[in-house]
Amino acid sequence: MRTVLVLMDTLRRDALSCYCPERGARTPNLEAFAQDSVVFDNHWIGSAPCMPARRDIMCGRYNFLERPWGPIEPFDVTLVDSLRAGGVYTCIKTDHCHYARTGGEGYLQLFNTWELFRGQEGDPWISRIDEPDNMPETFYGRVREQYQKNRETWPNEEDMPSPKTFRAACDFIDENAGDDDFFLMVEAFDPHEPFDVPDKYMEEYGGNDGLDRDYFEIPPYKRVSDTDIPQSAVDYVQRRYKALVTMTDHWFGTLVDKLKEKGVYEGTTIIVTTDHGYFLGERDYLGKNYMHLYNEHAHLPLIVKYPHGERAGERAHQLTQAIDIMPTVLEAHGCPVPETVMGTSLMPLATDADAPTRDYALFGVHAMTVNVTDGRYTYFRAPVPGNRPCYEYAAIPHTIRKKMGTDCVDQIEMGRFLSWTDYPVYKFPCTKPANIDQREDCLEEVHESKLFDLEMDYGQTHDLVGENEAAEQRMIELLKRGLTEHAAPAEQFERLGLA
């Protein structure tokens, strides 16, 4: 068996024409791929944002209930380790820069071979001390000086990191098409910000119309109304995002073409998905993480081509999440699924359209709200005032670009605090969510719990908390059940007012 997992960072569901034909970007390659595949309509985020979502994929269980952004832990039983134990060759091609930063350790090293293309976002790559020559004089949002240095090294589209990632994946197929037992992970940082895209793609979406400054590629993580960004610039960055989706679709198409050229498209399971969405001005928000996990951020694309085109062109209604990828790939390769895995294999859906998956999905950012959906309702549970008690658990005390516990050394404990592993971990008091670094009050947007009926109100504009008490109580009980079944630390119940 051959499996290919394609992860495109920050790929919004409504950007794809197979989900949203009236508003999606131009994505002919993903549209054609969807015709060969099963399109999952009820796929949800788990742990957010980037690295927490990847740990969900690699471990088949939620990261966000126990710790924020962080590395592979020494006690983790991973997808790649399990495949290698079964004799499967594993490889990753990626330009996801966070793997090379503090808090992203241990993922790449799982694979037999890995290749990382440098330069995305603020990747500390090009060692030029002086300010680069391409700094814009006027701009909206943010400009990263380091990124401006990095981008000077790719004069052509094919030199950019995500295109290089797809080209490297094509090279892997060229070299290994004769082998029939490998797992290839192709992970493009695009269409994550900065929304850096050649002009030819922007021309499809109106060019630079509406932008009255030199640059707008990195939105601030703020409400639009708290910035000086006019609606014309919001419209521009939305179009710029679509242009980058179209570019990413083009390079995805080169991989599909290579698989077909080498005669291995048939017989290969191909999974296409993302880690999370993004706000581009909707609900007055820009960015991610600091707000409730509305559908723009939490309802995600998942497209699966089963090995022999089973159920091609059909839709799947079952609830799915990133934690389901690990058992799916393991079953595809005939490898046993470890007991620690909490996800459900999607391979039975290849032959049985009614195969069960789950009846709820939990999702969240550590130390923020904990959320649950049953596919009909979404319920966002806000923490109690003070957000206490709240802890982070880790054996490797690294988080996003920093080390944990440096502000509370005298309060750190160590012990066997996680019920699902005997490995001792540190227990850190959490005073501020690690992923919220641009706001003074990290919880100001999520002080209230919210309930929405997606069948009647997919746009999530009418909050039913206090109005539909039966539905609210049912979702609370579902949330409590989920916390119990996924072995959440006991204080989560108290922190959420559910003790």
Side-chain angles (χ1 to χ4, degrees):
M1 172 59 68
R2 298 175 296 270
T3 57
V4 178
L5 170 61
V6 180
L7 193 65
M8 303 177 193
D9 201 301
T10 318
L11 182 63
R12 282 179 45 146
R13 183 179 190 272
D14 63 1
L16 301 185
S17 54
C18 61
Y19 283 106
C20 193
E22 69 278 9
R23 291 189 302 144
R26 188 181 68 83
T27 53
N29 295 294
L30 283 163
E31 179 66 39
F33 177 73
Q35 295 302 312
D36 296 337
S37 309
V38 177
V39 175
F40 286 76
D41 286 324
N42 226 346
H43 188 63
W44 292 85
I45 201 169
S47 302
C50 301
M51 296 315 298
R54 281 153 183 80
R55 190 159 175 250
D56 280 14
I57 290 171
M58 284 297 165
C59 300
R61 58 184 303 120
Y62 300 129
N63 173 93
F64 81 99
L65 295 174
E66 298 159 2
R67 66 159 299 153
W69 180 296
I72 287 293
E73 294 281 10
F75 52 84
D76 284 340
V77 181
T78 72
L79 165 61
V80 178
D81 283 332
S82 300
L83 287 170
R84 293 181 67 174
V88 181
Y89 189 91
T90 63
C91 176
I92 182 171
K93 307 290 186 180
T94 182
D95 62 321
H96 190 82
C97 54
H98 298 305
Y99 286 130
R101 302 295 291 269
T102 300
E105 303 92 341
Y107 292 85
L108 299 181
Q109 293 79 6
L110 294 170
F111 292 81
N112 288 95
T113 53
W114 55 272
E115 191 168 14
L116 174 65
F117 297 97
R118 300 290 303 274
Q120 287 282 21
E121 202 182 45
D123 184 12
W125 181 39
I126 298 302
S127 305
R128 177 177 175 179
I129 297 173
D130 294 335
E131 183 177 283
D133 300 326
N134 57 0
M135 290 294 288
E137 293 184 8
T138 63
F139 56 89
Y140 290 111
R142 296 180 293 153
V143 177
R144 290 180 182 267
E145 182 177 311
Q146 182 64 60
Y147 184 73
Q148 294 300 106
K149 295 174 182 177
N150 296 344
R151 75 193 302 179
E152 289 186 312
T153 66
W154 47 77
N156 304 304
E157 178 183 340
E158 58 267 25
D159 300 317
M160 298 174 74
S162 281
K164 285 171 111 176
T165 295
F166 281 109
R167 290 173 69 194
C170 291
D171 290 343
F172 178 90
I173 298 302
D174 266 332
E175 295 163 1
N176 298 286
D179 294 284
D180 62 0
D181 201 12
F182 64 74
F183 170 69
L184 173 64
M185 187 166 176
V186 186
E187 189 179 339
F189 195 66
D190 290 337
H192 191 290
E193 81 271 19
F195 305 130
D196 183 6
V197 61
D199 289 342
K200 71 176 184 180
Y201 295 101
M202 277 302 295
E203 289 168 4
E204 297 187 42
Y205 297 95
N208 292 328
D209 289 352
L211 189 67
D212 58 350
R213 299 188 184 181
D214 299 324
Y215 177 99
F216 187 21
E217 294 182 10
I218 308 177
Y221 284 20
K222 293 182 178 180
R223 281 186 173 269
V224 178
S225 56
D226 290 335
T227 72
D228 64 347
I229 301 173
Q231 185 58 47
S232 58
V234 172
D235 294 342
Y236 167 83
V237 83
Q238 290 175 350
R239 291 185 284 112
R240 194 165 189 87
Y241 172 79
K242 283 186 174 182
L244 187 55
V245 170
T246 295
M247 185 186 90
T248 308
D249 173 84
H250 165 74
W251 288 99
F252 168 74
T254 67
L255 175 59
V256 171
D257 289 346
K258 179 60 67 174
L259 289 163
K260 291 179 177 178
E261 173 195 325
K262 304 304 289 188
V264 295
Y265 186 70
E266 173 76 9
T268 299
T269 299
I270 305 172
I271 302 169
V272 176
T273 189
T274 189
D275 47 2
H276 54 72
Y278 197 85
F279 287 90
L280 290 159
E282 301 85 4
R283 307 177 197 275
D284 196 35
Y285 291 129
L286 292 167
K288 60 180 184 285
N289 300 337
Y290 63 91
M291 68 289 284
H292 279 298
L293 296 187
Y294 293 103
N295 287 343
E296 293 89 342
H297 191 81
H299 196 190
L300 306 179
L302 173 66
I303 309 171
V304 179
K305 188 195 81 68
Y306 287 104
H308 302 293
E310 294 91 339
R311 297 186 58 211
E314 295 186 23
R315 315 289 287 209
H317 61 84
Q318 287 87 344
L319 279 170
T320 58
Q321 292 188 281
I323 60 174
D324 299 324
I325 292 173
M326 178 173 177
T328 300
V329 173
L330 290 177
E331 182 174 343
H333 284 273
C335 297
V337 177
E339 292 182 358
T340 53
V341 169
M342 298 298 293
T344 301
S345 172
L346 306 182
M347 289 307 292
L349 284 160
T351 54
D352 180 2
D354 295 317
T357 54
R358 65 186 70 252
D359 57 357
Y360 69 87
L362 297 184
F363 54 99
V365 174
H366 181 267
M368 298 285 283
T369 59
V370 177
N371 315 289
V372 64
T373 183
D374 61 356
R376 167 72 185 271
Y377 292 94
T378 50
Y379 179 60
F380 308 151
R381 183 71 181 195
V384 298
N387 198 23
R388 297 288 184 276
C390 187
Y391 297 97
E392 301 167 338
Y393 299 89
I396 300 178
H398 290 176
T399 188
I400 179 169
R401 302 186 184 95
K402 63 184 180 183
K403 300 186 186 302
M404 301 163 72
T406 55
D407 58 344
C408 59
V409 175
D410 59 335
Q411 300 175 59
I412 301 172
E413 300 177 63
M414 192 172 191
R416 290 178 171 82
F417 296 119
L418 300 180
S419 63
W420 58 277
T421 177
D422 289 332
Y423 205 99
V425 295
Y426 294 105
K427 179 180 180 181
F428 303 93
C430 178
T431 57
K432 179 180 179 181
N435 291 106
I436 317 297
D437 59 1
Q438 298 182 39
R439 308 182 73 82
E440 190 169 323
D441 178 3
C442 299
L443 299 174
E444 65 179 314
E445 297 287 354
V446 297
H447 284 311
E448 297 180 352
S449 298
K450 293 183 179 292
L451 173 70
F452 299 102
D453 181 345
L454 299 184
E455 187 175 295
M456 305 299 294
D457 176 30
Y458 183 80
Q460 296 169 303
T461 60
H462 184 70
D463 181 12
L464 297 175
V465 167
E467 183 175 319
N468 188 336
E469 293 185 5
E472 183 179 357
Q473 190 57 43
R474 192 174 71 80
M475 296 305 287
I476 288 172
E477 293 304 316
L478 200 57
L479 176 57
K480 291 164 69 175
R481 176 185 147 202
L483 292 172
T484 299
E485 291 180 351
H486 288 269
E491 73 273 1
Q492 286 282 7
F493 290 87
E494 190 173 348
R495 183 180 76 88
L496 297 169
L498 297 173

